[in-house]
Short mmCIF file of all heavy atoms in Angstrom, two decimals:
data_model
loop_
_atom_site.label_atom_id
_atom_site.label_comp_id
_atom_site.label_asym_id
_atom_site.label_seq_id
_atom_site.Cartn_x
_atom_site.Cartn_y
_atom_site.Cartn_z
N ILE A 250 128.53 98.17 95.53
CA ILE A 250 128.78 99.48 94.94
C ILE A 250 129.34 99.24 93.52
O ILE A 250 130.43 98.73 93.36
CB ILE A 250 129.71 100.32 95.72
CG1 ILE A 250 129.17 100.51 97.17
CG2 ILE A 250 129.93 101.68 95.08
CD1 ILE A 250 130.15 101.14 98.16
N ILE A 251 128.56 99.67 92.56
CA ILE A 251 128.99 99.58 91.13
C ILE A 251 128.90 100.97 90.54
O ILE A 251 127.84 101.54 90.50
CB ILE A 251 128.12 98.57 90.41
CG1 ILE A 251 128.22 97.16 91.02
CG2 ILE A 251 128.52 98.48 88.95
CD1 ILE A 251 127.23 96.16 90.42
N GLY A 252 129.99 101.43 90.05
CA GLY A 252 130.05 102.77 89.47
C GLY A 252 129.44 102.84 88.12
O GLY A 252 129.10 101.81 87.51
N PRO A 253 129.38 104.03 87.55
CA PRO A 253 129.84 105.28 88.15
C PRO A 253 128.89 105.88 89.14
O PRO A 253 127.67 105.66 88.99
CB PRO A 253 130.00 106.21 86.91
CG PRO A 253 128.97 105.73 85.92
CD PRO A 253 128.93 104.22 86.16
N ASN A 254 129.41 106.55 90.15
CA ASN A 254 128.59 107.10 91.20
C ASN A 254 128.87 108.61 91.37
O ASN A 254 130.11 109.00 91.40
CB ASN A 254 128.86 106.43 92.57
CG ASN A 254 128.63 104.95 92.47
OD1 ASN A 254 127.53 104.50 92.23
ND2 ASN A 254 129.68 104.18 92.72
N ALA A 255 127.87 109.39 91.51
CA ALA A 255 127.99 110.82 91.89
C ALA A 255 127.82 110.93 93.38
O ALA A 255 126.89 110.25 93.89
CB ALA A 255 127.00 111.65 91.10
N MET A 256 128.61 111.68 94.04
CA MET A 256 128.54 111.82 95.48
C MET A 256 128.19 113.30 95.81
O MET A 256 128.70 114.21 95.15
CB MET A 256 129.85 111.46 96.18
CG MET A 256 130.37 110.04 95.88
SD MET A 256 129.26 108.76 96.49
CE MET A 256 129.50 109.03 98.26
N ARG A 257 127.33 113.47 96.77
CA ARG A 257 126.85 114.80 97.15
C ARG A 257 126.74 114.95 98.65
O ARG A 257 126.62 113.97 99.40
CB ARG A 257 125.48 115.08 96.53
CG ARG A 257 125.38 114.85 95.04
CD ARG A 257 123.98 115.05 94.56
NE ARG A 257 123.80 114.81 93.11
CZ ARG A 257 123.38 113.70 92.55
NH1 ARG A 257 123.09 112.67 93.32
NH2 ARG A 257 123.30 113.60 91.26
N TRP A 258 126.83 116.20 99.11
CA TRP A 258 126.58 116.53 100.50
C TRP A 258 125.39 117.47 100.54
O TRP A 258 125.28 118.43 99.77
CB TRP A 258 127.79 117.22 101.13
CG TRP A 258 128.84 116.30 101.54
CD1 TRP A 258 130.01 115.99 100.78
CD2 TRP A 258 128.95 115.46 102.74
NE1 TRP A 258 130.77 115.09 101.47
CE2 TRP A 258 130.18 114.76 102.62
CE3 TRP A 258 128.13 115.31 103.83
CZ2 TRP A 258 130.58 113.86 103.64
CZ3 TRP A 258 128.57 114.44 104.84
CH2 TRP A 258 129.74 113.75 104.70
N TYR A 259 124.46 117.25 101.48
CA TYR A 259 123.35 118.10 101.78
C TYR A 259 123.36 118.48 103.23
O TYR A 259 124.14 117.85 104.03
CB TYR A 259 122.03 117.42 101.47
CG TYR A 259 121.76 117.13 100.00
CD1 TYR A 259 122.38 116.12 99.35
CD2 TYR A 259 120.80 117.94 99.35
CE1 TYR A 259 122.11 115.86 97.97
CE2 TYR A 259 120.55 117.69 97.99
CZ TYR A 259 121.20 116.66 97.33
OH TYR A 259 120.88 116.41 95.99
N ARG A 260 122.62 119.48 103.65
CA ARG A 260 122.49 119.81 105.01
C ARG A 260 121.08 120.38 105.31
O ARG A 260 120.38 120.83 104.40
CB ARG A 260 123.51 120.92 105.45
CG ARG A 260 123.29 122.30 104.81
CD ARG A 260 124.47 123.21 105.20
NE ARG A 260 124.28 124.51 104.63
CZ ARG A 260 125.19 125.47 104.70
NH1 ARG A 260 126.38 125.23 105.31
NH2 ARG A 260 124.93 126.69 104.19
N GLN A 261 120.70 120.17 106.57
CA GLN A 261 119.40 120.58 106.98
C GLN A 261 119.46 121.19 108.39
O GLN A 261 119.83 120.50 109.31
CB GLN A 261 118.36 119.43 106.96
CG GLN A 261 116.94 119.84 107.24
CD GLN A 261 116.00 118.66 106.98
OE1 GLN A 261 116.34 117.54 107.01
NE2 GLN A 261 114.74 119.04 106.68
N ALA A 262 119.07 122.47 108.53
CA ALA A 262 119.01 123.15 109.77
C ALA A 262 117.63 122.97 110.40
O ALA A 262 116.68 122.69 109.62
CB ALA A 262 119.34 124.64 109.62
N PRO A 263 117.48 123.06 111.70
CA PRO A 263 116.15 122.87 112.31
C PRO A 263 115.11 123.82 111.73
O PRO A 263 115.33 125.01 111.57
CB PRO A 263 116.45 123.22 113.78
CG PRO A 263 117.85 122.88 114.00
CD PRO A 263 118.52 123.27 112.70
N GLY A 264 113.98 123.23 111.35
CA GLY A 264 112.97 124.03 110.73
C GLY A 264 113.09 124.47 109.34
O GLY A 264 112.32 125.20 108.79
N LYS A 265 114.24 124.02 108.72
CA LYS A 265 114.56 124.40 107.35
C LYS A 265 114.49 123.25 106.44
O LYS A 265 114.55 122.04 106.89
CB LYS A 265 115.95 125.03 107.31
CG LYS A 265 116.15 126.25 108.16
CD LYS A 265 115.48 127.46 107.62
CE LYS A 265 115.81 128.72 108.41
NZ LYS A 265 115.15 129.89 107.86
N GLN A 266 114.37 123.52 105.14
CA GLN A 266 114.34 122.46 104.15
C GLN A 266 115.76 121.97 103.90
O GLN A 266 116.74 122.77 103.95
CB GLN A 266 113.72 123.03 102.86
CG GLN A 266 113.43 121.92 101.81
CD GLN A 266 112.67 122.54 100.61
OE1 GLN A 266 112.59 123.74 100.48
NE2 GLN A 266 112.13 121.66 99.80
N ARG A 267 115.96 120.69 103.62
CA ARG A 267 117.23 120.17 103.26
C ARG A 267 117.75 120.89 101.99
O ARG A 267 117.04 121.00 100.95
CB ARG A 267 117.15 118.70 103.07
CG ARG A 267 118.53 118.05 102.89
CD ARG A 267 118.41 116.48 102.81
NE ARG A 267 117.87 115.95 104.09
CZ ARG A 267 117.80 114.68 104.29
NH1 ARG A 267 118.14 113.76 103.42
NH2 ARG A 267 117.29 114.24 105.49
N GLU A 268 118.98 121.30 102.04
CA GLU A 268 119.60 122.01 100.88
C GLU A 268 120.86 121.30 100.43
O GLU A 268 121.65 120.74 101.20
CB GLU A 268 119.88 123.44 101.22
CG GLU A 268 120.95 123.60 102.33
CD GLU A 268 121.32 125.14 102.56
OE1 GLU A 268 120.97 125.97 101.70
OE2 GLU A 268 121.93 125.38 103.55
N TRP A 269 121.12 121.40 99.15
CA TRP A 269 122.30 120.86 98.51
C TRP A 269 123.47 121.76 98.86
O TRP A 269 123.38 122.96 98.83
CB TRP A 269 122.12 120.71 97.03
CG TRP A 269 123.35 120.40 96.27
CD1 TRP A 269 123.92 119.20 96.17
CD2 TRP A 269 124.17 121.31 95.48
NE1 TRP A 269 125.06 119.25 95.34
CE2 TRP A 269 125.25 120.59 94.98
CE3 TRP A 269 124.09 122.64 95.26
CZ2 TRP A 269 126.22 121.20 94.13
CZ3 TRP A 269 125.05 123.30 94.43
CH2 TRP A 269 126.06 122.51 93.88
N VAL A 270 124.63 121.13 99.18
CA VAL A 270 125.80 121.84 99.55
C VAL A 270 126.94 121.67 98.54
O VAL A 270 127.51 122.67 98.07
CB VAL A 270 126.33 121.34 100.96
CG1 VAL A 270 127.67 122.03 101.27
CG2 VAL A 270 125.30 121.66 102.04
N ALA A 271 127.23 120.47 98.13
CA ALA A 271 128.30 120.19 97.22
C ALA A 271 128.19 118.86 96.53
O ALA A 271 127.49 117.99 96.99
CB ALA A 271 129.66 120.25 97.95
N GLY A 272 128.77 118.73 95.38
CA GLY A 272 128.71 117.48 94.65
C GLY A 272 129.96 117.20 93.90
O GLY A 272 130.70 118.14 93.52
N ILE A 273 130.27 115.93 93.68
CA ILE A 273 131.41 115.50 92.86
C ILE A 273 130.97 114.37 92.00
O ILE A 273 130.39 113.35 92.51
CB ILE A 273 132.62 115.18 93.80
CG1 ILE A 273 133.86 114.82 92.95
CG2 ILE A 273 132.30 114.05 94.77
CD1 ILE A 273 135.12 114.76 93.75
N GLY A 274 131.20 114.50 90.72
CA GLY A 274 130.82 113.45 89.79
C GLY A 274 131.81 112.33 89.72
O GLY A 274 132.85 112.40 90.32
N SER A 275 131.41 111.29 88.95
CA SER A 275 132.34 110.13 88.80
C SER A 275 133.62 110.53 88.16
O SER A 275 134.66 109.80 88.37
CB SER A 275 131.59 109.03 88.03
OG SER A 275 131.22 109.45 86.74
N GLY A 276 133.60 111.58 87.34
CA GLY A 276 134.82 112.06 86.68
C GLY A 276 135.58 113.03 87.46
O GLY A 276 136.66 113.51 87.02
N GLY A 277 135.14 113.40 88.67
CA GLY A 277 135.90 114.28 89.53
C GLY A 277 135.47 115.75 89.46
O GLY A 277 136.09 116.56 90.15
N ILE A 278 134.50 116.09 88.61
CA ILE A 278 134.03 117.48 88.53
C ILE A 278 133.26 117.84 89.76
O ILE A 278 132.39 117.09 90.19
CB ILE A 278 133.19 117.70 87.26
CG1 ILE A 278 134.01 117.39 86.04
CG2 ILE A 278 132.62 119.09 87.25
CD1 ILE A 278 133.25 117.47 84.75
N THR A 279 133.56 119.00 90.42
CA THR A 279 132.96 119.40 91.64
C THR A 279 132.08 120.65 91.39
O THR A 279 132.34 121.48 90.55
CB THR A 279 133.98 119.72 92.73
OG1 THR A 279 134.87 120.77 92.22
CG2 THR A 279 134.83 118.54 92.99
N ASN A 280 131.03 120.78 92.27
CA ASN A 280 130.16 121.95 92.24
C ASN A 280 129.77 122.27 93.65
O ASN A 280 129.70 121.37 94.49
CB ASN A 280 128.93 121.64 91.42
CG ASN A 280 129.19 121.45 89.93
OD1 ASN A 280 129.28 120.35 89.48
ND2 ASN A 280 129.30 122.58 89.23
N TYR A 281 129.57 123.53 93.94
CA TYR A 281 129.25 124.04 95.30
C TYR A 281 128.11 125.01 95.31
O TYR A 281 127.94 125.77 94.35
CB TYR A 281 130.49 124.70 95.90
CG TYR A 281 131.68 123.83 96.03
CD1 TYR A 281 132.63 123.73 94.98
CD2 TYR A 281 131.91 122.99 97.09
CE1 TYR A 281 133.74 122.94 95.09
CE2 TYR A 281 132.98 122.13 97.18
CZ TYR A 281 133.91 122.10 96.17
OH TYR A 281 135.02 121.30 96.24
N ALA A 282 127.38 124.97 96.39
CA ALA A 282 126.37 126.02 96.59
C ALA A 282 127.12 127.34 96.81
O ALA A 282 128.20 127.39 97.44
CB ALA A 282 125.53 125.70 97.82
N ASP A 283 126.46 128.49 96.44
CA ASP A 283 127.07 129.74 96.60
C ASP A 283 127.45 130.05 98.06
O ASP A 283 128.44 130.75 98.34
CB ASP A 283 126.18 130.86 96.07
CG ASP A 283 126.13 130.88 94.55
OD1 ASP A 283 126.98 130.26 93.91
OD2 ASP A 283 125.18 131.39 94.01
N SER A 284 126.68 129.54 98.97
CA SER A 284 126.87 129.84 100.38
C SER A 284 128.13 129.23 101.01
O SER A 284 128.58 129.66 102.03
CB SER A 284 125.64 129.36 101.22
OG SER A 284 125.46 127.99 101.10
N VAL A 285 128.64 128.21 100.30
CA VAL A 285 129.88 127.51 100.81
C VAL A 285 131.01 127.61 99.89
O VAL A 285 132.13 127.26 100.22
CB VAL A 285 129.58 126.11 101.17
CG1 VAL A 285 128.39 125.93 102.08
CG2 VAL A 285 129.37 125.27 99.88
N LYS A 286 130.81 128.16 98.69
CA LYS A 286 131.93 128.23 97.72
C LYS A 286 133.12 129.05 98.25
O LYS A 286 132.97 130.09 98.84
CB LYS A 286 131.41 128.91 96.45
CG LYS A 286 132.29 128.77 95.24
CD LYS A 286 131.63 129.30 93.93
CE LYS A 286 130.39 128.47 93.63
NZ LYS A 286 129.71 128.94 92.37
N GLY A 287 134.27 128.48 98.06
CA GLY A 287 135.49 129.11 98.58
C GLY A 287 135.85 128.70 100.01
O GLY A 287 136.99 128.94 100.44
N ARG A 288 134.90 128.05 100.70
CA ARG A 288 135.15 127.63 102.08
C ARG A 288 135.14 126.16 102.26
O ARG A 288 135.86 125.58 103.09
CB ARG A 288 134.13 128.25 103.02
CG ARG A 288 134.10 129.75 103.05
CD ARG A 288 133.17 130.35 104.08
NE ARG A 288 131.77 129.96 103.88
CZ ARG A 288 131.09 129.16 104.70
NH1 ARG A 288 131.62 128.82 105.88
NH2 ARG A 288 129.82 128.90 104.47
N PHE A 289 134.32 125.46 101.48
CA PHE A 289 134.18 124.00 101.58
C PHE A 289 134.82 123.33 100.36
O PHE A 289 134.82 123.88 99.22
CB PHE A 289 132.76 123.57 101.63
CG PHE A 289 132.01 123.94 102.88
CD1 PHE A 289 132.55 124.81 103.80
CD2 PHE A 289 130.71 123.40 103.10
CE1 PHE A 289 131.89 125.10 104.96
CE2 PHE A 289 130.03 123.73 104.24
CZ PHE A 289 130.58 124.59 105.23
N THR A 290 135.37 122.14 100.58
CA THR A 290 135.95 121.36 99.46
C THR A 290 135.43 119.93 99.56
O THR A 290 135.56 119.27 100.62
CB THR A 290 137.43 121.35 99.50
OG1 THR A 290 137.94 122.70 99.41
CG2 THR A 290 138.03 120.51 98.38
#
């Protein structure tokens, strides 16, 4: 593992396309899908 690395979470429900949930950059900046914003960290 050699940085910098961006880390992300995705999810996939049965019969559904995989969707992006959240991400955090190498500098610590975070982003969230609207469906989870305020609930997930």
